[in-house]
Amino acid sequence: MITTKGNSKENIIRFLLIFASVISIITTIGILFSIFFQAIEFFQLKSFWYFLFGTEWSPGQENSKFGALPIFAGTFMITVIALLVAIPVGVGSAIYMSEYSSRLRRNILKPILEILAGIPTVVYGFFAALTIAPAIVSISGWFGLTAAYNSALACGIVMGVMIIPIIASLSDDVLRAVPNSQRNASLALGMTHSETIRHIIVPSAMPGIISAGLLGLSKAIGETMIVVMAAGLRPNLSWNPLEDMTTVTVRIVDSLVGDHAFDSPDTMSAFALGLVLFVVTLVLNMISLSQIRKFKAKYKINTL
Amino acid sequence: MKSSGNNTLNPHRNSDIKITASGLNLWYGDNHALQDINMDIHKNKITALIGPSGCGKSTYLRCINRMNDLIDNTRITGEIVIDSKNIYDADIDVVAVRKRIGMVFQQPNPFPKSIYDNISYAPLKHRLIKKGIESDELVESSLISAGLWEEVKDKLKSPGTSLSGGQQQRLCIARAIAVKPDVILMDEPTSALDPISTEKIESLMMDLKKDYTIVIVTHNMQQAHRTADYAAYFHLGNMVEYNQTETLFNSPAEALTESYISGRFG
Amino acid sequence: MNNQKNHNPFYDPSLSSRHRSARLFKAFTRGSILITLAFLCFFIFDMVRTAYPAMWQSYVKVEVSYNEKSSKISQKAIDKKFRKIVSRAWLRSIPKLLKQQPELMGTTANQWVLADDQVDQYMKGHHHNLKQKQVSVIETLKTNAQIELRWNNIFLSQGDSKLPENAGVYSSLIGSIFTLFVTLAIAFPLGVMTAIHLEEFARDNMLTRIIEVNINNLAAIPSILFGLLGLAVFINLFGLPRSSPLVGGLTLALMTLPIIIVSARAALRSVPDSIRQAGYGLGLTKIQIIQGNVLPIAFPGILTGTIIGLAQAMGETAPLIIIGMIAFIPDSPNSITDAATVLPAQIFTWAGMPERAYVEKTAAGIMVILLILFFLNAAAIYLRKKYEIKW
């Protein structure tokens, strides 16, 4: 017999469970609001449109200007380099693991990729600054080019390596989820294995691969330590990846670790940049999720 | 038509024999899944492989276009001779074998492409045709052969997966014949379909045998009886009996065959 | 006959180019994975190579005179020509030593003391800023066997220092432990409770869907934004102490939450319904069933996810920089409200130091954190394997 006392105890527990679940919502709202209100305050002092499209970023001066376009451009450049490294290598690795390697070999390769994914980004940052950046300077030298010691290229390459496991692991899952009947159908028509992969398997898995790529993109945009340690501080609107550039995350860190007053525009610019970062990564994540949902619906898969 | 007799390989490889299996053994790991299969398959005839689940009939079918190569840990001995060439010879290109021997599977498996692309994909890659008029013609003729043209001619650009199950299976048949194979292997092609679609596929098979040698695996004994010219009964990896369909069904030589046909197990 | 033997009806010359492109494609995918593996190997080799010298530290044998003068100006304790050779950190400790052991006063001792970082770099064959005079002093010491590289026991037992030869990871390790403790204490109960709610109780309504989408998004928000949250809410709004493991732990807890929730949900889902049905059959309430039957079975899975979440939090740096956990803090914290630093932040700080001697310290710090992460992940994998139940 269930007593009323037992019931009220159950109710308290259930209330606690719901309360715990709501924390995640509170966190998101908390992040949004903590960024949003500071950003609004910033935009009351400085022009919103100049922030988005202005080309001069000069904090800490009389008549400081906050045009973030060079910062966005630097983020874009480093991110594109990262994706140029990570997408071919990541998808190629995924195809190798899911289509060509034996089960045994795959069971070894996947944990190795997980090691790469588990390396803290501060470590990648040190590696970029200590080894990759000087290497790029000397390699550029052989070709008669000058590269900065904090070049966008060095950051981009290391960031690319950082997101390889994300793309490879998710793509591998998706490729393996493509039903075997598709493989058999193509092979039975006299297609080679690689033709089957390129024309049938990869297109079938494309929503999932796109989703993986977007997730990698979102990680690259939000990545902080690699760029803080290996990229420049100078907003630089340039197409040359050998020059130093700065990113949104670098500027956020720089304006918050300095000795500015909390309500100075210098500090609050960090929140304006944070708002942009929040919106962009949120949108990317939403698209990524909808892509993977599309893939799941197509093949009625629940395990991804 | 002369009977090929019980379990025996026809010694004269006369012109109406398309495929000859001799001494064919297959192991999945330690499991001896096919045991010493000897069998002649006649050209432009429908040959049905029947038997209970796990008897090896599908395994044997997949030996004919070497689809078993895709399964790890498989070992094959003996030979399958097609057009006087053993397809398990070292100088054989598996891709070329599969190009010549089409296959239709149990579950309709159209590619996630348009109806048009489902059919033109492989012929284009094989360079049998060029893009444009040649390709249009091949798509049309293949769909006509598969009896699907009237139903889909206005929606060739819609995805193959949007068709009904029976239509999808006929699309898969059209896709297979577009490559212009000599042989079509069918692995229980109607088991996932409704009776009306099944009937359509069966009458399609009767039409197709003019041009192709057809080997079909089926669970459905009526289907084997209705469509096949020859039938082989498989049991636990052995081919127990092989004969003209009428003979096999009406006066089976082996007790095992008889008990299966009369429905005592399956 | 011979003719027939050579006859191959399956010979198709058009296939050779297709097979060639197939081989190229396979080579490309194999190349991709090899590049990844090569990078990992090179990275580990590079780190080990850079970190290795930090295992040793130079010591010199000099005459030390403990007297009134040296208790006031500690440099006077040793001969003038050795003053640039020995560590300033050791010199500074002389007055304290004399206070602790007054019986030393007035004695002289010929003893081994810690060498300066430049001397250490010279001994290791690295770049150094020593003057020619000092180099010749070292060479003399060398020939007299009065200078040697010894096992570096400072690195794991001392905190941060502005003098590289005296810098270690001890205080930042303690800071990391304090911070992770807070993270665990917050994220574990919240995560498990959320998972129980979503798996066992929640109906498919608006709130549930919002929570689920939210958890998904939370996992994708860049870590630095959690730092902004920590700064704006925990420090500025709630007034919690800046740089403290409390704020750091809270911030990391919110980041770890989605990982714990997702793995706990998977663990709960893997418990077969028959267990729950059996409980109902015995007349137990839902909560009793979850407490007594479901949670114990799901626990290893939950624990595995928690360890993986903590490993990720252990390496997180960006949000902790924002909330000020990169200040120079030589002493380890005594409570979660003291100012502290964490291991990855220590690595970050050292990586930015101009002295060459910090490079090897940074790499050594990296080796320490990689080893810790390796053991955490190994523990998670071991747990998963050990308690993996096939239903």
Side-chain angles (χ1 to χ4, degrees):
Chain A
M1 195 62 205
I2 301 160
T3 61
T4 12
K5 199 184 166 201
N7 258 336
S8 71
K9 193 184 151 203
E10 299 243 321
N11 284 338
I12 291 169
I13 291 178
R14 291 195 60 172
F15 172 78
L16 282 175
L17 293 180
I18 293 175
F19 172 75
S21 314
V22 171
I23 294 278
S24 73
I25 300 179
I26 296 175
T27 306
T28 314
I29 295 173
I31 289 180
L32 185 61
F33 275 52
S34 58
I35 299 169
F36 193 71
F37 286 126
Q38 300 288 335
I40 291 291
E41 263 184 67
F42 173 76
F43 290 128
Q44 278 165 355
L45 294 173
K46 301 284 169 183
S47 152
F48 175 70
W49 296 112
Y50 189 79
F51 173 75
L52 282 188
F53 301 110
T55 54
E56 194 188 325
W57 185 275
S58 55
Q61 312 175 348
E62 195 84 7
N63 220 340
S64 55
K65 281 186 168 166
F66 292 92
L69 196 64
I71 299 174
F72 298 147
T75 310
F76 179 75
M77 174 66 94
I78 291 175
T79 308
V80 165
I81 295 169
L83 289 182
L84 286 179
V85 171
I87 288 181
V89 177
V91 176
S93 304
I95 291 174
Y96 185 78
M97 286 192 295
S98 66
E99 296 289 331
Y100 288 116
S101 76
S102 64
R103 183 201 294 252
L104 178 78
R105 194 173 286 175
R106 187 177 171 278
N107 285 348
I108 299 169
L109 288 174
K110 209 131 193 213
I112 292 180
L113 277 186
E114 277 168 24
I115 295 180
L116 213 49
I119 295 176
T121 55
V122 66
V123 177
Y124 278 116
F126 178 65
F127 183 65
L130 179 81
T131 306
I132 302 294
I136 284 182
V137 171
S138 23
I139 292 170
S140 311
W142 300 341
F143 295 102
L145 300 165
T146 27
Y149 269 95
N150 41 16
S151 64
L153 189 60
C155 285
I157 289 174
V158 174
M159 199 185 268
V161 172
M162 180 202 85
I163 57 181
I164 285 173
I166 299 171
I167 294 183
S169 180
L170 196 54
S171 301
D172 173 61
D173 290 344
V174 176
L175 287 166
R176 276 158 41 87
V178 173
N180 242 328
S181 64
Q182 296 287 327
R183 268 176 209 98
N184 289 339
S186 174
L187 292 170
L189 287 169
M191 293 292 121
T192 64
H193 193 175
S194 93
E195 285 165 341
T196 302
I197 295 166
R198 278 178 293 156
H199 307 309
I200 305 297
I201 311 287
V202 169
S204 297
M206 203 37 107
I209 295 175
I210 291 174
S211 168
L214 289 174
L215 207 64
L217 173 63
S218 150
K219 274 270 182 295
I221 292 175
E223 170 47 36
T224 309
M225 291 322 293
I226 294 177
V227 282
V228 165
M229 294 168 82
L233 272 173
R234 176 173 71 107
N236 180 9
L237 198 56
S238 160
W239 289 108
N240 183 357
L242 297 176
E243 286 181 24
D244 60 314
M245 288 175 199
T246 197
T247 71
V248 172
T249 46
V250 172
R251 294 308 317 187
I252 293 177
V253 170
D254 188 59
S255 50
L256 288 178
V257 294
D259 290 328
H260 315 290
F262 193 73
D263 52 359
S264 75
D266 296 13
T267 307
M268 283 187 299
S269 70
F271 289 87
L273 290 169
L275 185 64
V276 174
L277 192 59
F278 182 84
V279 171
V280 170
T281 50
L282 195 69
V283 168
L284 285 174
N285 187 44
M286 290 292 197
I287 304 173
S288 168
L289 280 178
S290 80
Q291 288 289 326
I292 199 87
R293 218 174 287 135
K294 206 165 117 190
F295 178 80
K296 279 197 232 175
K298 193 154 129 197
Y299 295 109
K300 300 180 180 63
I301 297 158
N302 296 318
T303 51
L304 286 176
Chain B
M1 175 54 72
K2 91 188 143 165
S3 156
S4 59
N6 277 356
N7 286 3
T8 49
L9 170 74
N10 191 329
H12 314 289
R13 288 185 178 162
N14 45 7
S15 59
D16 68 336
I17 301 296
K18 182 70 183 172
I19 303 166
T20 302
S22 41
L24 187 73
N25 282 282
L26 182 143
W27 289 264
Y28 290 133
D30 293 331
N31 174 19
H32 197 173
L34 285 179
Q35 299 169 15
D36 195 33
I37 307 292
N38 296 289
M39 185 177 183
D40 285 344
I41 291 172
H42 296 256
K43 199 169 181 171
N44 292 52
K45 299 288 176 204
I46 298 176
T47 303
L49 311 178
I50 59 171
S53 306
C55 67
K57 56 190 193 299
S58 287
T59 305
Y60 174 58
L61 190 79
R62 285 202 304 271
C63 286
I64 301 175
N65 68 345
R66 293 190 59 173
M67 287 298 273
N68 283 326
D69 292 19
L70 304 170
I71 301 166
D72 289 341
N73 238 339
T74 309
R75 196 159 63 84
I76 296 170
T77 64
E79 47 182 45
I80 289 181
V81 174
I82 300 176
D83 295 341
S84 67
K85 178 71 183 172
N86 177 13
I87 60 165
Y88 284 93
D89 274 352
D91 62 340
I92 279 287
D93 184 341
V94 189
V95 172
V97 171
R98 296 197 186 124
K99 193 171 146 187
R100 294 268 303 274
I101 300 172
M103 189 165 193
V104 176
F105 296 84
Q106 186 172 1
Q107 291 287 339
N109 52 0
F111 299 129
K113 298 172 184 280
S114 71
I115 294 172
Y116 186 100
D117 289 344
N118 256 286
I119 294 172
S120 65
Y121 161 61
L124 282 171
K125 292 290 159 202
H126 291 314
R127 304 212 187 93
L128 299 173
I129 50 162
K130 289 195 177 67
K131 269 197 174 142
I133 298 170
E134 275 183 41
S135 156
D136 296 348
E137 281 172 2
L138 181 73
V139 169
E140 181 174 348
S141 66
S142 306
L143 283 170
I144 289 172
S145 308
L148 194 60
W149 176 248
E150 288 303 322
E151 292 158 65
V152 301
K153 64 180 178 191
D154 298 324
K155 49 173 182 176
L156 292 175
K157 292 288 162 218
S158 50
T161 43
S162 66
L163 299 172
S164 74
Q167 287 174 325
Q168 285 190 14
Q169 196 61 301
R170 276 181 284 150
L171 178 63
C172 292
I173 294 173
R175 181 174 71 184
I177 60 187
V179 185
K180 307 234 181 294
D182 307 344
V183 181
I184 300 177
L185 309 175
M186 296 186 167
D187 191 358
E188 303 191 31
T190 61
S191 67
L193 304 181
D194 59 276
I196 294 168
S197 306
T198 302
E199 201 194 315
K200 281 191 179 150
I201 303 252
E202 284 179 12
S203 66
L204 174 59
M205 284 162 56
M206 306 304 274
D207 291 342
L208 290 175
K209 76 175 178 180
K210 297 198 296 290
D211 303 312
Y212 307 97
T213 304
I214 297 176
V215 187
I216 177 173
V217 163
T218 179
H219 254 112
N220 179 335
M221 260 167 312
Q222 284 76 29
Q223 185 171 58
H225 203 163
R226 279 195 301 265
T227 56
D229 303 295
Y230 291 86
Y233 174 66
F234 280 72
H235 188 85
L236 296 175
N238 289 297
M239 191 183 73
V240 177
E241 190 168 354
Y242 176 40
N243 216 323
Q244 285 179 315
T245 309
E246 284 306 316
T247 320
L248 189 105
F249 274 81
N250 295 330
S251 49
E254 302 286 328
L256 269 172
T257 317
E258 193 187 352
S259 48
Y260 180 71
I261 287 167
S262 55
R264 251 169 265 164
F265 62 90
Chain C
M1 191 63 202
N2 196 26
N3 191 25
Q4 205 184 349
K5 213 174 176 182
N6 285 335
H7 164 70
N8 183 353
F10 295 100
Y11 176 66
D12 186 341
S14 77
L15 282 178
S16 64
S17 71
R18 285 167 62 193
H19 281 308
R20 202 177 315 123
S21 93
R23 276 194 298 275
L24 272 175
F25 183 74
K26 186 173 178 181
F28 157 71
T29 65
R30 192 196 295 262
S32 308
I33 199 104
L34 286 178
I35 286 175
T36 315
L37 296 182
F39 183 92
L40 184 64
C41 291
F42 174 64
F43 163 77
I44 291 175
F45 166 77
D46 194 48
M47 281 304 134
V48 171
R49 192 193 56 164
T50 316
Y52 177 75
M55 289 173 72
W56 317 103
Q57 196 70 45
S58 299
Y59 283 78
V60 282
K61 199 171 188 184
V62 289
E63 187 130 308
V64 189
S65 35
Y66 298 103
N67 49 38
E68 282 300 327
K69 241 199 267 172
S70 60
S71 79
K72 287 201 181 70
I73 306 157
S74 50
Q75 287 201 341
K76 307 259 176 185
I78 50 172
D79 192 86
K80 202 174 175 186
K81 70 172 177 180
F82 295 129
R83 278 179 196 161
K84 288 272 182 201
I85 305 294
V86 302
S87 166
R88 275 191 289 147
W90 175 78
L91 286 173
R92 278 185 208 151
S93 70
I94 291 178
K96 207 167 126 202
L97 182 77
L98 285 176
K99 217 169 265 171
Q100 276 166 359
Q101 295 170 284
E103 70 272 15
L104 282 175
M105 190 62 87
T107 62
T108 59
N110 203 10
Q111 70 181 95
W112 287 97
V113 300
L114 186 60
D116 184 75
D117 65 302
Q118 292 296 339
V119 176
D120 184 55
Q121 291 299 302
Y122 176 80
M123 287 295 286
K124 288 168 180 169
H126 295 160
H127 177 79
H128 59 89
N129 298 335
L130 295 173
K131 293 196 184 78
Q132 193 49 48
K133 206 171 83 189
Q134 292 156 345
V135 170
S136 58
V137 172
I138 296 170
E139 287 302 326
T140 328
L141 284 170
K142 245 184 181 172
T143 44
N144 298 337
Q146 284 179 314
I147 184 161
E148 66 182 29
L149 284 169
R150 285 194 192 171
W151 171 252
N152 181 358
N153 55 13
I154 293 171
F155 189 71
L156 288 176
S157 61
Q158 299 275 321
D160 195 10
S161 166
K162 295 280 185 201
L163 299 163
E165 69 272 20
N166 201 37
V169 291
Y170 179 74
S171 61
S172 62
L173 266 176
I174 300 296
S176 271
I177 291 170
F178 275 46
T179 308
L180 288 184
F181 175 77
V182 175
T183 303
L184 182 67
I186 304 286
F188 182 73
L190 278 181
V192 175
M193 279 160 80
T194 307
I196 292 173
H197 173 70
L198 290 175
E199 275 307 307
E200 308 284 339
F201 291 102
R203 277 180 287 267
D204 187 24
N205 57 20
M206 199 62 180
L207 180 69
T208 310
R209 248 169 289 151
I210 292 176
I211 293 172
E212 287 188 337
V213 169
N214 232 287
I215 290 165
N216 240 318
N217 284 332
L218 212 52
I221 291 176
S223 60
I224 189 169
L225 297 184
F226 285 90
L228 293 185
L229 168 85
L231 180 63
V233 175
F234 298 139
I235 295 176
N236 284 338
L237 195 64
F238 296 169
L240 298 178
R242 203 178 143 86
S243 309
S244 66
L246 178 62
V247 173
L250 279 169
T251 310
L252 292 182
L254 298 178
M255 292 183 58
T256 316
L257 207 48
I259 303 171
I260 296 182
I261 293 173
V262 168
S263 62
R265 286 188 72 178
L268 288 170
R269 214 177 302 139
S270 71
V271 177
D273 252 352
S274 58
I275 300 273
R276 299 183 183 84
Q277 304 297 347
Y280 287 127
L282 293 171
L284 300 174
T285 67
K286 195 160 189 177
I287 302 233
Q288 285 170 325
I289 294 168
I290 292 168
Q291 267 181 347
N293 303 63
V294 176
L295 272 184
I297 297 176
F299 192 70
I302 298 174
L303 207 59
T304 306
T306 308
I307 294 174
I308 289 172
L310 280 185
Q312 204 155 316
M314 166 101 211
E316 202 54 69
T317 323
L320 302 182
I321 293 182
I322 301 291
I323 58 158
M325 290 188 89
I326 46 161
F328 172 68
I329 297 148
D331 298 317
S332 46
N334 290 317
S335 81
I336 56 171
T337 49
D338 287 355
T341 187
V342 291
L343 189 48
Q346 183 70 78
I347 291 168
F348 172 65
T349 318
W350 282 347
M353 291 291 199
E355 289 93 342
R356 177 67 176 74
Y358 278 112
V359 172
E360 64 187 54
K361 304 279 175 197
T362 312
I366 284 173
M367 293 315 292
V368 171
I369 198 169
L370 288 183
L371 275 177
I372 293 172
L373 292 181
F374 178 79
F375 282 116
L376 279 176
N377 283 303
I381 292 169
Y382 172 76
L383 269 176
R384 192 190 311 169
K385 284 269 180 293
K386 186 171 177 192
Y387 292 99
E388 204 169 48
I389 306 165
K390 297 271 193 300
W391 297 97

